[in-house]
């Protein structure tokens, strides 16, 4: 009887630990999955990343049809893209891309899966340069690249949004087509963080009357721009050649400045808008 009670207590403790949200990534199944994806060969991890990217294409195309049917193609309040694309962007920028970054962090271990510090990212990159094996690096690379390609091929956009997409996709391709270039994980984190801020902007366009959403947008965009600048400088320190600094530093910081100007304009408009009757 005492043995059964002890076994039941141990089982209950394991179930509590594995079901706790705070210990989600410590659950045995999650640990085994993270370990398995971190131990694949370079060829296998690349193949799995491509497979995840292909699955994303199928889901994204289906979501496009559903969202267009519900929200339509109006660009009046979509920030330069159709209204349905704002909703699609929220799912990608606040859901899919952060989840891929969290999966990458969990596969590496050694800290929180939600807040990768620059030093952790640089340490992972040192291992990547020795052996470029990582399912989630490739998965993020393909999903992010396909996300922007999806926009260019299937989404009508205003000229400024189109130019932004072309620049970002060119940079992303330049990094991922040369996976031995130092700082890959810093780029992944930077892209996920900046898209999170853009997701806040898209959410505010979907729910323009919500003060809570507007506050979230201001905080998310401002924080993402700040951390994006930090990651940019850390990434540039790893690069060879003065031309990288001379071309990419002003380009990236210019984009971040325009993003923050968007925040300032929204705050200004809100502060000077007439009070509702």
């Amino acid at each position: 009887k005492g043995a059964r009670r002890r076994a039941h207590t141990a089982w209950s403790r394991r179930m509590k630990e594995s079901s706790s949200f705070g210990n989600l990534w410590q659950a045995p199944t999650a640990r085994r999955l993270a370990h398995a994806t971190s131990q694949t060969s370079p060829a296998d991890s690349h193949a799995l990343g491509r497979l995840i990217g292909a699955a994303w294409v199928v889901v994204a195309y289906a979501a496009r049809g559903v969202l267009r049917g519900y929200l339509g193609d109006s660009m009046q309040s979509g920030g330069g893209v159709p209204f349905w694309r704002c909703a699609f962007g929220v799912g990608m920028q606040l859901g899919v891309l952060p989840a891929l970054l969290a999966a990458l962090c969990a596969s590496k271990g050694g800290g929180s899966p939600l807040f990768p510090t620059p030093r952790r990212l640089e340490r992972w990159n040192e291992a990547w340069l020795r052996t470029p094996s990582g399912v989630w690096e490739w998965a993020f690379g393909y999903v992010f690249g396909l996300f922007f390609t999806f926009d260019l091929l299937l989404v009508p956009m205003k000229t400024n949004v189109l130019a932004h997409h072309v620049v970002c996709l060119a940079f992303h391709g330049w990094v991922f087509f040369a996976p031995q270039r130092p700082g890959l994980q810093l780029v992944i984190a930077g892209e996920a963080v900046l898209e999170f801020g853009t997701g806040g902007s898209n959410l505010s366009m979907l729910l323009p009357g919500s003060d809570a959403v507007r506050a979230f947008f201001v905080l998310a965009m401002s924080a993402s721009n700040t951390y994006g600048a930090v990651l940019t400088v850390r990434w540039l320190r790893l690069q060879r050649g003065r031309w990288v600094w001379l071309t990419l530093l002003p380009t990236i910081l210019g984009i971040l400045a325009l993003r923050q100007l968007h925040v300032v304009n929204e705050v200004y408009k809100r502060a000077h808008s007439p009070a509702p009757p």
Side-chain angles (χ1 to χ4, degrees), residues 66-277:
V66 172
L67 292 172
R68 285 186 72 190
Y70 277 103
L71 300 175
D73 289 317
S74 172
M75 297 177 65
Q76 291 183 353
S77 58
V81 296
F83 202 48
W84 70 264
R85 170 55 180 76
C86 288
F88 182 79
V90 167
M92 281 296 301
Q93 293 154 338
L94 302 185
V96 174
L97 295 179
L100 289 173
L101 179 60
L104 189 157
C105 295
S107 72
K108 307 298 182 183
S112 168
L114 301 179
F115 302 102
T117 63
R119 182 63 196 123
R120 286 177 69 200
L121 295 165
E122 290 169 356
R123 188 167 62 250
W124 298 341
N125 181 246
E126 292 166 3
W128 171 270
L129 292 176
R130 292 191 296 270
T131 305
S133 175
V135 172
W136 300 111
E137 282 91 346
W138 288 116
F140 187 96
Y142 278 107
V143 170
F144 185 92
L146 288 167
F147 176 38
F148 273 59
T149 304
F150 175 90
D151 279 354
L152 292 174
L153 295 178
L154 299 175
V155 179
M157 294 180 284
K158 292 182 178 179
T159 304
N160 61 324
V161 181
L162 177 64
H164 164 269
H165 273 54
V166 169
V167 171
C168 291
L169 189 58
F171 174 75
H172 180 80
W174 177 70
V175 170
F176 271 88
F177 280 128
Q180 290 300 100
R181 192 182 311 282
L184 178 68
Q185 285 75 10
L186 288 165
V187 171
I188 290 173
E191 290 175 339
V193 165
L194 293 176
E195 287 300 307
F196 189 86
T198 305
S201 176
N202 282 325
L203 188 62
S204 71
M205 294 174 192
L206 290 173
L207 301 169
S210 172
D211 290 336
V213 168
R214 185 176 292 106
F216 170 75
F217 153 61
V218 171
L219 292 173
M221 183 70 87
S222 300
S224 71
N225 291 339
T226 302
Y227 195 44
V230 171
L231 292 175
T232 296
V233 174
R234 297 291 288 255
W235 177 80
L236 284 170
R237 288 171 54 190
L238 301 178
Q239 308 309 306
R240 303 180 185 89
R242 185 176 300 178
W243 71 270
V244 178
W245 279 85
L246 294 177
T247 56
L248 293 181
L249 181 63
T251 300
I252 296 173
L253 292 185
I255 291 174
L256 296 180
L258 290 174
R259 287 165 55 91
Q260 195 60 33
L261 182 61
H262 174 49
V263 175
V264 173
N265 286 338
E266 288 299 313
V267 172
Y268 180 84
K269 285 193 298 184
R270 177 63 178 173
H272 292 80
S273 60

Side-chain angles (χ1 to χ4, degrees), residues 32-79:
R32 285 195 294 270
L33 176 61
H35 179 75
T37 56
S38 65
Q39 297 300 315
T40 54
S41 69
D44 288 344
S45 64
H46 196 170
L48 285 170
R50 284 197 300 267
L51 183 62
I52 293 171
W56 178 87
V57 171
V58 175
V59 174
Y61 196 79
R64 170 180 178 265
V66 172
L67 292 172
R68 285 186 72 190
Y70 277 103
L71 300 175
D73 289 317
S74 172
M75 297 177 65
Q76 291 183 353
S77 58

